[in-house]
């Protein structure tokens, strides 16, 4: 009568009681575009038989939902971007630490929460993009130098409302303190050629269109646009190579405080930090694997290697509130 699988499931429920959910399932709340994660989850299911259900939404409603569900949690894992967001989730008390020697061995400490509440999975640099027609790379040096008069009317920036810029600013505050960071931001704002943009691709398009000569963007947006327009007269520049290095942020994952399938969720996260998943997960969005033993894709490697800032990325969260206040004071909309 019953297919064998259903029958076994029914028996398991009888034996273990109805409060227990099947362990061969993990539920992920994700703020990433479906196409970026589905192939990775499909590969895991094919190898292990563990089903992964994922719900996609923006990070704020997902976090609120986890908070509201409380002990009746349906989600095991929260997958999102930016250490600033993951840190927020940690502060809301909706995550729990994953203690894992596998994760600790695969992901450098600077890309994990010191609480073990989340770990990075892929990295992206927030770096300088420039017009190859109007700027020589020798004219560029640091993020700070984009505040020089030389760039007046030549800079494009994304809005200060985006967490990526808040995180970059947080690292500037950590490095220079508030007063100097405010000076830098004011310099950037006074160098703007036009209003801030709502996304990084618009910044790149503006450089391409001649509206400005330099901007600050995440590397994978450059990768996406470059794929569509191989002749794009815009290149990436790695700033601060003589001092602290390029600002690197991440996409990452954390286990919810009341995860219904904690063991299965932990196993999935461990797998996601390993070579096969890292290659796929980073490759799909032209990001850098967070596991340093895994090579980036050929396209990403083609942008050249660089020294990354060694600050723990959780600084982005710790100084987020300061960063937002400072950006506001500097007139960065
Ligand atoms: Fe993004």
């Amino acid at each position: 009568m019953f297919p064998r699988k259903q029958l076994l499931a029914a028996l398991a429920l009888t034996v273990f009681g109805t409060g227990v959910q099947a362990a061969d399932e993990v539920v992920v709340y994700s703020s990433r575009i479906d196409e970026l994660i589905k192939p990775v989850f499909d590969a895991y299911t094919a190898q292990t038989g563990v089903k992964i259900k994922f719900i996609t939404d923006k990070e704020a409603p997902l976090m609120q939902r986890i908070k509201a569900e409380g002990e009746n949690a349906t989600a095991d894992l929260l997958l999102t971007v930016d250490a600033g967001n993951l840190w927020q989730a940690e502060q809301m008390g909706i995550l729990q630490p994953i203690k894992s020697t596998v994760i600790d061995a695969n992901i450098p400490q600077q890309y994990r929460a010191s609480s073990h509440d989340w770990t990075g999975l892929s990295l992206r640099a927030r770096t300088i993009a420039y017009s190859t027609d109007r700027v020589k790379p020798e004219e560029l040096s640091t993020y700070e130098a984009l505040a020089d008069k030389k760039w007046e009317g030549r800079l494009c920036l994304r809005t200060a409302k985006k967490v990526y810029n808040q995180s970059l600013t947080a690292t500037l505050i950590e490095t220079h303190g508030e007063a100097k960071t405010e000076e830098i931001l004011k310099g950037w704002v006074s160098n703007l050629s036009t209003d801030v943009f709502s996304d990084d691709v618009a910044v790149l398009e503006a450089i391409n269109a001649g509206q400005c000569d330099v901007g600050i963007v995440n590397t994978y947006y450059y990768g996406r646009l470059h794929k569509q327009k191989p002749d794009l007269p815009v290149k990436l520049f790695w700033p601060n190579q003589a001092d602290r290095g390029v600002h690197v942020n991440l996409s990452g994952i954390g286990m919810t405080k009341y995860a219904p399938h904690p063991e299965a969720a932990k196993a999935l996260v461990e797998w996601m930090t390993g070579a096969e998943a890292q290659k796929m997960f980073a490759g799909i969005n032209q990001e850098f694997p967070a596991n340093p033993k895994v090579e980036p894709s050929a396209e990403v490697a083609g942008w050249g290697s660089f020294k990354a800032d060694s600050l723990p990325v959780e600084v982005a969260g710790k100084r987020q509130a300061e960063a937002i206040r400072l950006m506001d004071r500097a007139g960065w909309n």
Side-chain angles (χ1 to χ4, degrees):
M1 291 283 283
F2 285 98
R4 191 177 147 78
K5 232 180 173 173
Q6 269 184 31
L7 185 62
L8 286 174
L11 281 172
L13 282 179
T14 313
V15 174
F16 298 113
T18 47
V20 179
Q21 294 184 41
D24 54 358
E25 172 184 291
V26 179
V27 180
V28 183
Y29 282 4
S30 163
S31 75
R32 304 215 72 185
I33 306 167
D34 290 7
E35 299 89 87
L36 300 183
I37 52 169
K38 195 172 180 304
V40 181
F41 290 162
D42 285 348
Y44 188 71
T45 301
Q47 281 175 33
T48 62
V50 175
K51 291 193 175 59
I52 302 173
K53 283 190 197 155
F54 64 97
I55 290 171
T56 307
D57 202 341
K58 295 213 181 294
E59 60 270 353
L62 289 175
M63 289 184 210
Q64 284 306 330
R65 190 162 163 182
I66 294 168
K67 181 133 187 121
E69 286 175 356
E71 292 182 40
N72 302 314
T74 52
D76 296 294
L77 298 166
L78 172 69
L79 174 65
T80 187
V81 295
D82 207 286
N85 288 332
L86 289 156
W87 188 86
Q88 282 296 342
E90 185 182 339
Q91 294 309 299
M92 285 169 74
I94 60 172
L95 300 179
Q96 65 170 309
I98 307 180
K99 292 276 162 64
S100 162
T101 52
V102 175
I103 297 169
D104 291 358
N106 284 340
I107 307 295
Q109 201 169 3
Q110 81 176 106
Y111 301 127
R112 290 186 270 119
S114 46
S115 64
H116 296 267
D117 270 8
W118 47 266
T119 178
L121 292 174
S122 62
L123 308 177
R124 61 281 296 282
R126 189 152 189 79
T127 196
I128 298 175
Y130 67 96
S131 157
T132 52
D133 294 334
R134 298 179 299 280
V135 178
K136 291 191 185 73
E138 307 87 77
E139 297 175 83
L140 295 162
S141 57
T142 63
Y143 297 103
E144 292 83 346
L146 293 180
D148 292 350
K149 269 268 175 234
K150 169 187 169 65
W151 300 106
E152 195 170 2
R154 301 174 69 189
L155 176 66
C156 277
L157 290 175
R158 186 176 185 162
T159 171
K161 292 183 184 72
K162 185 66 189 181
V163 68
Y164 301 157
N165 283 333
Q166 296 166 6
S167 293
L168 172 64
T169 301
T171 64
L172 287 171
I173 297 171
E174 180 78 13
T175 307
H176 298 299
E178 285 215 13
K180 188 170 175 206
T181 303
E182 186 170 345
E183 242 175 72
I184 296 162
L185 298 195
K186 280 181 171 160
W188 289 359
V189 170
S190 71
N191 285 341
L192 288 177
S193 72
T194 180
D195 279 349
V196 293
F197 292 91
S198 61
D199 64 81
D200 283 11
V201 172
V203 169
L204 291 163
E205 292 279 22
I207 299 172
N208 182 30
Q211 208 173 358
C212 46
D213 298 339
V214 286
I216 298 176
V217 297
N218 279 1
T219 40
Y220 56 91
Y221 291 112
Y222 175 79
R224 276 183 214 169
L225 194 61
H226 191 261
K227 210 171 207 171
Q228 288 168 26
K229 301 178 179 177
D231 299 327
L232 190 71
V234 178
K235 268 193 167 167
L236 295 175
F237 178 83
W238 307 122
N240 298 76
Q241 294 304 282
D243 48 64
R244 68 183 185 284
V246 178
H247 171 59
V248 168
N249 212 306
L250 46 78
S251 84
I253 198 161
M255 196 189 293
T256 64
K257 188 167 185 184
Y258 300 105
H261 316 102
E263 288 308 316
K266 178 182 171 182
L268 172 62
V269 176
E270 288 180 337
W271 180 81
M272 288 182 87
T273 65
E276 184 196 353
Q278 282 284 297
K279 192 122 206 147
M280 207 186 319
F281 189 75
I284 296 170
N285 194 35
Q286 301 195 55
E287 291 185 74
F288 301 89
N291 180 335
K293 294 184 284 287
V294 182
E295 295 287 327
S297 71
E299 283 162 306
V300 170
W303 304 336
S305 60
F306 58 89
K307 174 181 159 186
D309 194 333
S310 61
L311 278 178
V313 291
E314 67 186 352
V315 160
K318 287 183 176 158
R319 292 199 180 272
Q320 188 181 72
E322 277 172 275
I324 292 169
R325 279 197 303 274
L326 203 64
M327 292 163 105
D328 186 52
R329 272 215 304 279
W332 188 350
N333 295 320

